Amino acid sequence: MSQHDPATTPAQLRHRAETHASAYPALLAEAEHLAATVLLGDHGRRRAGIGDEFWQYRPAEHGDGLRDIDWRRSARSDTHFVRQKEWQAAQSVMLWVDDAQSMAFSGGTDRPTKGHRARVLALALCVLLNKGGERFGLANRGTPPRRGEGQLGRVAGHLMAAASDADYGTVNARVLPAGSRAIFLSDFLGDIDAATLALTQAADRGVKGALVQILDPDEEAFPYDGRTVFQSMSGAVEFETLKAKSLRDAYLDRLAERKFQLAQLCRRTGWQFTTHHTDTAATRAMVWLYQMLEGA
């Protein structure tokens, strides 16, 4: 890189830092507002085990000790009952938020970019996990899963500062702790082999989770006609056509095939898949993610 490249000057670097710093409170505020729309409640796993919270009574079985029997509850019937407690061991949730150039796309000024929606969803989920006492981390920067306000601040800072020069993002599943949960947020329009490798590696490590494909409505409708110049967000690829509408059917077929491939990939690896559009309320995706983790 040239020494006179303005991107390397102290003034430019300072401007970038100030831009990220000014956007940080807004991102966090938007994420906290979104998280507040989800009914939090106790974020337990609803599995029997060692814990402090009462879950349910069950009839005593052969092998249960006398100390396990709840004598007060048993006195009200002819059956002995055991008081089960809820297992509330915290789980680790790792998030990968695609920061490649394709995520900077928005087809209209009335809706956010795909990248912004992905960052808000990821940070809002971290807010919920933190309130539930669970650990969370960011796979993009290899941020190990932790809990606490400090961790929330680190994740938010990384999300604001992240930016890749690549057209499409690629997740590194090797940074995911074995047995953890993971959420990947991307448009998944790049190399399908990269997504296949990531989920295969994750499944081999006992990691389960979900893919959230985030798309702009223009990418679903392909509302282009006549002379059109298509250019990748990085500018590395450019294609010009005089009959854009003639490409619509072929494009929609390929998009449908990509969704089918992602859904099939998730079925094979025990993951879940959903598509979210930037012109719909972020709450929909947020509730889906929360419920998915509740059932994990």
Side-chain angles (χ1 to χ4, degrees):
M1 185 175 289
S2 169
Q3 183 179 0
H4 300 292
D5 187 337
T8 64
T9 64
Q12 184 70 15
L13 291 174
R14 179 177 178 179
H15 175 71
R16 287 182 177 180
E18 290 175 346
T19 299
H20 292 320
S22 62
Y24 171 88
L27 175 66
L28 187 57
E30 187 175 353
E32 289 178 337
H33 177 73
L34 176 58
T37 64
V38 178
L39 181 61
L40 186 61
D42 292 331
H43 198 47
R45 297 295 96 203
R46 293 301 176 190
R47 299 173 187 161
I50 300 173
D52 297 324
E53 299 295 325
F54 168 72
W55 179 26
Q56 66 178 8
Y57 291 109
R58 67 165 175 81
E61 301 172 351
H62 178 71
D64 289 328
L66 292 177
R67 67 177 60 185
D68 298 323
I69 296 176
D70 189 293
W71 297 104
R72 179 175 297 180
R73 173 63 181 86
S74 301
R76 300 201 300 268
S77 69
D78 297 329
T79 303
H80 289 160
F81 285 91
V82 171
R83 181 184 178 94
Q84 284 187 314
K85 295 182 179 180
E86 180 184 349
W87 178 57
Q88 291 186 315
Q91 68 175 351
S92 294
V93 180
M94 294 292 290
L95 298 104
W96 174 68
V97 182
D98 192 347
D99 60 358
Q101 295 297 307
S102 69
M103 297 297 287
F105 176 73
S106 174
T109 57
D110 59 335
R111 51 186 179 264
T113 65
K114 295 182 289 184
H116 180 79
R117 178 57 58 85
R119 289 189 293 271
V120 170
L121 287 172
L123 193 55
L125 188 59
C126 289
V127 170
L128 286 176
L129 292 169
N130 189 51
K131 289 183 178 180
E134 302 199 28
R135 298 183 294 266
F136 53 93
L138 196 61
N140 300 57
R141 296 296 183 93
T143 307
R146 297 189 179 94
R147 65 171 68 94
E149 294 300 318
Q151 176 74 344
L152 193 61
R154 281 188 291 271
V155 169
H158 287 326
L159 287 174
M160 288 306 307
S164 170
D165 293 331
D167 274 326
Y168 301 102
T170 303
V171 63
N172 178 11
R174 290 189 296 272
V175 303
L176 304 177
S180 63
R181 298 293 178 263
I183 307 293
F184 297 167
L185 300 107
S186 171
D187 54 18
F188 296 106
L189 297 178
D191 185 5
I192 188 64
D193 291 339
T196 301
L197 177 61
L199 259 68
T200 301
Q201 290 178 337
D204 289 343
R205 297 175 60 82
V207 177
K208 292 185 179 180
L211 300 184
V212 181
Q213 184 183 41
I214 300 177
L215 296 175
D216 185 274
D218 282 6
E219 294 173 317
E220 289 277 14
F222 199 82
Y224 308 110
D225 195 7
R227 180 181 180 274
T228 306
V229 178
F230 296 99
Q231 186 180 66
S232 64
M233 296 302 293
S234 68
V237 179
E238 183 174 298
F239 175 76
E240 181 177 355
T241 179
L242 297 177
K243 300 178 179 180
K245 191 174 183 178
S246 66
L247 303 176
R248 186 174 186 272
D249 290 343
Y251 167 82
L252 293 179
D253 286 344
R254 292 192 65 177
L255 181 60
E257 175 63 18
R258 174 53 56 91
K259 290 183 179 181
F260 176 77
Q261 290 173 323
L262 292 170
Q264 287 292 95
L265 176 60
C266 287
R267 289 192 191 97
R268 291 198 306 269
T269 55
W271 281 48
Q272 297 188 46
F273 173 71
T274 190
T275 299
H276 174 69
H277 301 120
T278 56
D279 63 337
T280 61
T283 311
R284 295 185 185 180
M286 193 69 236
V287 170
W288 185 89
L289 281 168
Y290 187 70
Q291 293 177 340
M292 187 279 300
L293 286 176
E294 282 289 276

